[in-house]
Amino acid sequence: MANERTLILVKPDGVQRGLVGEVIARIERKGYTLEALELRTLARATAEEHYAEHTDKPFFGELVDFITSGPLVAMCVAGEGAIAGMRTLMGATNPLEATPGSIRGDFATVIGENIVHGSDSVDSAKRELGIFFPDRF
Ligand SMILES: Nc1nc2c(ncn2[C@@H]2O[C@H](COP(=O)(O)OP(=O)(O)OP(=O)(O)O)[C@@H](O)[C@H]2O)c(=O)[nH]1
Ligand SMILES: [Mg+2]
């Protein structure tokens, strides 16, 4: 296992519901480190770039509408195996399948509003951190 960096977002639904502190507390309690943190509302073009792999999906428009609908919190989270480790803390994409105890398992009910995003590989972490923190990573 290697020391890794990953992009974590508390999506607009998580910010709206007041779950930023809850998500950060779980990240810190696990033992990961915050290396960058910013509250911002995404421009449409930035959201489309972030979700480029989903351009052809039927839900792409909805996805971009949602992620640009209000402020989100973007973070660089670092630690041993942080990419897979954060995916475990987050739980399955569909909250109905997410294990209780995970963020999505505890706080979400629908796939379109699942509170958090986490990079899914070393390559996507690098790409996504470059979009959100271009001067830092
Ligand atoms: N509205 C809608 N949204 C979806 C659907 N499938 C996926 N999504 C959303 O698209 C996001 C990206 O999908 P994936 O990258 O496959 O899932 P993921 O990697 O677990 O989630 P992210 O960490 O947000 O990237 C998901 O987190 C969902 O919010 C769907 O069928 N309908
Ligand atoms: Mg994804």
Side-chain angles (χ1 to χ4, degrees):
M1 205 53 82
N3 194 60
E4 295 173 339
R5 290 188 168 121
T6 183
L7 176 80
I8 300 301
L9 303 178
V10 182
K11 297 181 185 183
D13 57 331
V15 174
Q16 175 101 41
R17 288 176 54 196
L19 293 172
V20 174
E22 174 72 38
V23 171
I24 291 175
R26 288 173 180 230
I27 293 169
E28 293 186 322
R29 194 169 69 192
K30 175 74 175 173
Y32 295 138
T33 306
L34 293 177
E35 292 194 341
L37 185 150
E38 186 189 20
L39 180 82
R40 63 184 280 191
T41 302
L42 290 191
R44 227 175 151 80
T46 311
E48 287 171 356
E49 188 185 358
H50 171 69
Y51 278 131
E53 65 173 305
H54 298 302
T55 308
D56 297 332
K57 306 270 171 64
F59 57 84
F60 183 69
E62 228 174 88
L63 187 58
V64 173
D65 287 346
F66 166 65
I67 204 76
T68 57
S69 65
L72 54 70
V73 170
M75 295 175 262
C76 174
V77 171
E80 281 297 303
I83 295 170
M86 278 305 308
R87 301 278 294 185
T88 303
L89 278 194
M90 287 161 47
T93 307
N94 184 347
L96 290 181
E97 290 158 15
T99 315
S102 67
I103 294 168
R104 288 163 171 170
D106 285 350
F107 298 112
T109 58
V110 291
I111 195 165
E113 298 185 9
N114 59 4
I115 313 283
V116 277
H117 161 84
S119 307
D120 62 11
S121 67
V122 172
D123 284 349
S124 36
K126 205 164 283 177
R127 189 185 77 82
E128 293 170 1
L129 286 167
I131 294 170
F132 281 83
F133 301 104
D135 304 329
R136 311 260 321 253
F137 304 106

